[in-house]
Amino acid sequence: MVAGTQSNDTVVKDIISVIQASDLGWTLKRAVQDELSKSFVNVKDIKRLVPVFMKESGWDIKVRNIVFMYLMTHIPAPHPITPPETLKEPMSFIRNAQARWEKRILKSINTMCTEKNIPLARMRTIREQADFTQKWKDMTFSDENMGDIRPVYAPKDFMEVLTSLSSPNYTAKIYDYSDVNERSGTSVWGLIQVRLHLNTTQQLRVLFSNLSTHHFQTGADDIEGPNPEWQRLGVKAVQLGYTPTAQRYLQQGCYPTQRGDIWLLALGVNLSPLSYQYYNQLRASVFKYELLVDRLFLQDVRLTAGNHEAYFVFEDLVVQILLCFSRDTQFLDHFKSTSASPPHAYTRNNMGETDQTVVYPPNGIIPFHGFSLFIAPMCFIWSDPVILYNVFKALYTRFFFRLHSLSSHPQGILSLCQQFETMLQTHQPQLFYHLREMGSHPLKHAFNWIMHAFAGYLETSQLLLLWDRVIGYGTLEILPVLAVAVFAFRRNNLMEVTTPSEAEAVLQDVSSLKVIPLLQYCLYARILHPV
């Protein structure tokens, strides 16, 4: 049972609906039908044979994985009198701030359309469709007029919204600098002034206990080479095919040769012929229709992933994934339980008629500067665009969407930023105060790291080791911990700087850092505490 407001029968019905609607459900139905259509099967024995077939064929594990993922991600049904908006976000002032932010983004899109005389969407001509189809494998420079297209918003713009947010029911004590409480999320010197419940450092040590030096860690304990025993455990995890086992394995990381299979299993990604068919439908929509957000994605790839020394070789693949992503209406489901709402646009010749609007773009997500960095690192794992797309889809709907929407969720960007500020202020008060008084607030440096989940900042192998732990522990809370660790690690240099530009120079390049040793030393060797 998920919660007291839901009966077991309701949960079972919901799970059955999820299985039936999935690609796996369709494949399972066909497999059972094929098995029961064999000549030696007696109708009287069907009830007994189906469970036997499920177990012997491995389908029982696959069904258990779906049930596990449902229980991990499903939000219990609310009380009958609970307002729908409260389910999306319980704090009204955060809901209002998110609504204002969405209006601001939509206004920017409309302004761009007017200034550039570009429609939000249009059908390509037959000739354009043919040309676009031919250029699909090499399309990053298919549009020559891209120089004046700017991102709708950048992380800096979003940070300004977060730092301007304040609770109408709470006023921070301005002069009592001793009022720093990790549990309540109070950060007197911090830029985030919304009071949220946060995990204390001790609670984080318990949460990430499998990261401690008492356990083997890929990225820390394999300097001399891969650990054969750990590799064998990875093979067994894949052979078992059980999602919780794969997630537990990722808490200590995995090797590049095994990461593809283990991530698919841990994220509950089930590929079938329907997966390829659906991707081809999205691609056909790209060929047929041009969207304004296509240009935003193209420009973002050029400025970020395409301009990165490690990711530029994947430029075409990243663009293909993003263009299909913008057409995928399945992403609209996650708006039912998040603080965000998809933007709408008026249909042609129906301006001002609220009942004549459609979600725009079709997936309801307008990209920000650096969005493509969420996809580029995974190109080192998979070259098949269908696999890559479905893994990105799982990662985005489980984790990444929380990094660019306002909410009070423990893994939301607001909580992550306050977690960073509270931890750093609690354990490194001198460093925090020094940077703050110098006009170089720590969050101004760390915000981009957190909002991009360190993509584009860490060396790729180190980033994937970090994402191993995000998937394994099922939380983004490891991001602010790593951000604090970077500041603590470079404390001596930061204490010597006297200008914001010098502080930026110290923190600008983190690509040489080793993530796992830094996290271990931060959480378990007490590097957080000043000497």
Side-chain angles (χ1 to χ4, degrees):
M1 187 170 177
V2 179
T5 56
Q6 277 189 306
S7 66
N8 287 326
D9 290 342
T10 303
V11 173
V12 171
K13 289 179 181 179
D14 287 347
I15 292 175
I16 291 175
S17 298
V18 169
I19 294 175
Q20 290 176 337
S22 67
D23 293 353
L24 185 65
W26 179 84
T27 309
L28 172 59
K29 184 178 179 180
R30 288 291 302 271
V32 173
Q33 288 176 341
D34 292 343
E35 180 67 19
L36 297 181
S37 64
K38 294 180 179 178
S39 58
F40 61 82
V41 175
N42 192 311
V43 176
K44 297 180 181 180
D45 297 330
I46 288 179
K47 188 174 181 179
R48 176 182 60 84
L49 290 175
V50 169
V52 174
F53 166 74
M54 293 284 289
K55 186 172 183 179
E56 291 180 350
S57 61
W59 277 106
D60 63 328
I61 293 291
K62 296 178 181 179
V63 172
R64 288 166 64 188
N65 287 342
I66 289 185
V67 174
F68 174 78
M69 293 300 296
Y70 173 90
L71 295 176
M72 283 206 42
T73 60
H74 179 67
I75 294 180
H79 190 277
I81 64 172
T82 302
E85 63 273 14
T86 302
L87 178 62
K88 290 172 66 69
E89 168 53 51
M91 297 186 181
S92 60
F93 73 97
I94 294 182
R95 289 200 305 269
N96 295 335
Q98 174 66 24
R100 291 193 298 270
W101 172 241
E102 290 168 357
K103 288 181 180 179
R104 176 177 167 182
I105 294 175
L106 195 57
K107 182 179 179 181
S108 297
I109 283 283
N110 290 327
T111 301
M112 185 181 300
C113 287
T114 303
E115 292 179 351
K116 310 298 182 185
N117 194 26
I118 302 173
L120 286 174
R122 72 175 184 90
M123 181 180 290
R124 304 184 197 273
T125 65
I126 299 298
R127 183 179 182 82
E128 287 174 336
Q129 292 181 38
D131 291 342
F132 202 84
T133 303
Q134 292 180 350
K135 294 178 180 179
W136 180 247
K137 298 277 184 171
D138 182 19
M139 58 181 305
T140 50
F141 295 96
S142 60
D143 191 336
E144 297 179 359
N145 301 315
M146 293 293 297
D148 56 351
I149 296 294
R150 294 181 302 232
V152 175
Y153 71 98
K156 181 181 178 181
D157 303 317
F158 190 46
M159 180 182 168
E160 290 176 356
V161 175
L162 266 64
T163 54
S164 66
L165 199 60
S166 61
S167 172
N169 301 319
Y170 172 73
T171 302
K173 298 178 182 179
I174 300 176
Y175 300 107
D176 186 3
Y177 294 152
S178 64
D179 184 20
V180 180
N181 188 302
E182 285 191 289
R183 183 177 297 277
S184 67
T186 305
S187 178
V188 178
W189 297 332
L191 294 177
I192 305 297
Q193 291 300 316
V194 178
R195 192 181 182 94
L196 299 171
H197 178 84
L198 305 173
N199 279 323
T200 65
T201 303
Q202 183 56 39
Q203 288 172 324
L204 291 173
R205 289 188 181 113
V206 174
L207 174 62
F208 300 121
S209 59
N210 288 327
L211 257 176
S212 73
T213 55
H214 299 295
H215 301 282
F216 171 82
Q217 302 290 333
T218 56
D221 301 323
D222 51 358
I223 298 177
E224 301 299 327
N227 184 318
E229 180 60 29
W230 191 248
Q231 286 181 316
R232 284 192 290 270
L233 288 175
V235 172
K236 289 182 179 179
V238 173
Q239 290 174 345
L240 182 60
Y242 194 34
T243 294
T245 303
Q247 290 184 356
R248 170 61 184 83
Y249 183 81
L250 283 175
Q251 291 179 8
Q252 293 169 240
C254 68
Y255 291 114
T257 55
Q258 298 175 315
R259 184 170 282 124
D261 292 333
I262 293 177
W263 275 29
L264 287 173
L265 183 57
L267 289 168
V269 176
N270 298 293
L271 297 171
S272 71
L274 287 179
S275 304
Y276 287 82
Q277 181 180 342
Y278 186 68
Y279 182 81
N280 288 334
Q281 290 174 349
L282 295 174
R283 187 175 60 177
S285 180
V286 175
F287 295 161
K288 189 173 182 179
Y289 298 98
E290 179 187 12
L291 305 180
L292 173 62
V293 292
D294 294 348
R295 303 190 184 206
L296 296 176
F297 278 127
L298 284 165
Q299 189 73 318
D300 183 64
V301 172
R302 293 181 185 181
L303 296 176
T304 58
N307 199 34
H308 192 282
E309 61 181 5
Y311 302 143
F312 73 93
V313 294
F314 304 119
E315 190 173 1
D316 295 330
L317 183 57
V318 173
V319 169
Q320 292 170 21
I321 298 300
L322 288 172
L323 295 187
C324 290
F325 163 74
S326 66
R327 272 82 171 169
D328 193 345
T329 56
Q330 291 183 357
F331 281 94
L332 298 179
D333 289 339
H334 91 283
F335 285 105
K336 298 176 183 177
S337 55
T338 69
S339 61
S341 298
H344 287 72
Y346 294 106
T347 56
R348 186 183 297 273
N349 300 324
N350 290 291
M351 185 67 68
E353 299 181 21
T354 56
D355 59 339
Q356 297 293 326
T357 61
V358 294
V359 174
Y360 182 87
N363 68 348
I365 301 162
I366 296 176
F368 58 87
H369 180 64
F371 193 95
S372 61
L373 292 172
F374 287 139
I375 298 176
M378 292 184 288
C379 294
F380 281 95
I381 309 176
W382 300 280
S383 58
D384 186 329
V386 179
I387 300 177
L388 183 60
Y389 181 78
N390 280 274
V391 173
F392 167 68
K393 192 172 182 177
L395 276 172
Y396 183 85
T397 53
R398 281 283 306 281
F399 303 109
F400 293 155
F401 78 91
R402 300 193 184 280
L403 297 175
H404 56 90
S405 59
L406 290 166
S407 77
S408 58
H409 192 279
Q411 294 185 57
I413 187 69
L414 198 60
S415 294
L416 298 181
C417 289
Q418 191 160 55
Q419 184 80 70
F420 163 77
E421 290 193 316
T422 304
M423 285 184 67
L424 189 61
Q425 182 176 339
T426 301
H427 300 287
Q428 292 284 349
Q430 292 179 336
L431 174 60
F432 197 110
Y433 185 74
H434 171 67
L435 293 174
R436 176 182 179 272
E437 291 302 297
M438 192 176 60
S440 182
H441 201 285
L443 185 60
K444 293 180 179 179
H445 300 285
F447 186 78
N448 275 19
W449 302 341
I450 297 173
M451 188 172 175
H452 290 103
F454 281 90
Y457 296 94
L458 293 173
E459 192 270 328
T460 305
S461 64
Q462 296 298 310
L463 177 69
L464 295 177
L465 287 170
L466 175 65
W467 286 7
D468 283 345
R469 276 68 179 186
V470 169
I471 299 171
Y473 289 102
T475 178
L476 292 166
E477 290 174 275
I478 202 168
L479 301 181
V481 175
L482 179 59
V484 170
V486 173
F487 276 78
F489 183 70
R490 293 187 170 170
R491 178 180 187 274
N492 292 340
N493 290 335
L494 289 171
M495 289 299 293
E496 294 178 358
V497 302
T498 57
T499 63
S501 60
E502 291 176 351
E504 183 177 356
V506 172
L507 296 167
Q508 185 174 17
D509 184 12
V510 296
S511 61
S512 61
L513 298 180
K514 302 299 180 183
V515 168
I516 306 307
L518 196 57
L519 286 170
Q520 287 182 314
Y521 201 38
C522 171
L523 286 173
Y524 301 104
R526 308 296 179 90
I527 194 176
L528 290 180
H529 297 277
V531 178

